[in-house]
Amino acid sequence: MNDTTAHLLIEVRESLADVQRIIKSGGIKVEHQHAIDRANNAIVSARVHFEALGMTHEVFMQTMRDVADEVFRTVV
């Protein structure tokens, strides 16, 4: 895994953790939109990067599932 891929996956992981904390705190409110936008942007950036590396959509989706599973297991 190269540095860019690692950085993008960290951004996806951290932004999903933020969204998970929001959800666990009682729901999404208007002021949480920044965290949701950050997660969305991180995922889109990772998808573009994976495509540029020639990885398939299936590999990207499995990687995102793995990251999300990790986040949802560890964020309290």
Side-chain angles (χ1 to χ4, degrees):
M1 177 181 314
N2 67 35
D3 289 345
T4 303
T5 304
H7 174 74
L8 288 168
L9 291 178
I10 289 168
E11 180 64 19
V12 168
R13 184 176 293 112
E14 289 174 354
S15 61
L16 284 176
D18 290 344
V19 172
Q20 180 68 359
R21 284 185 203 92
I22 289 167
I23 292 167
K24 287 188 172 196
S25 74
I28 299 170
K29 299 178 178 81
V30 173
E31 59 268 21
H32 297 133
Q33 191 61 48
H34 174 71
I36 295 165
D37 290 345
R38 179 178 168 225
N40 184 56
N41 291 339
I43 292 167
V44 169
S45 294
R47 181 178 52 85
V48 169
H49 177 71
F50 272 57
E51 288 175 358
L53 292 175
M55 295 183 185
T56 65
H57 180 72
E58 290 76 19
V59 169
F60 170 74
M61 290 303 296
Q62 185 59 54
T63 303
M64 293 300 104
R65 280 191 289 275
D66 294 346
V67 169
D69 287 347
E70 176 190 335
V71 168
F72 298 148
R73 275 194 322 272
T74 59
V75 172
V76 255

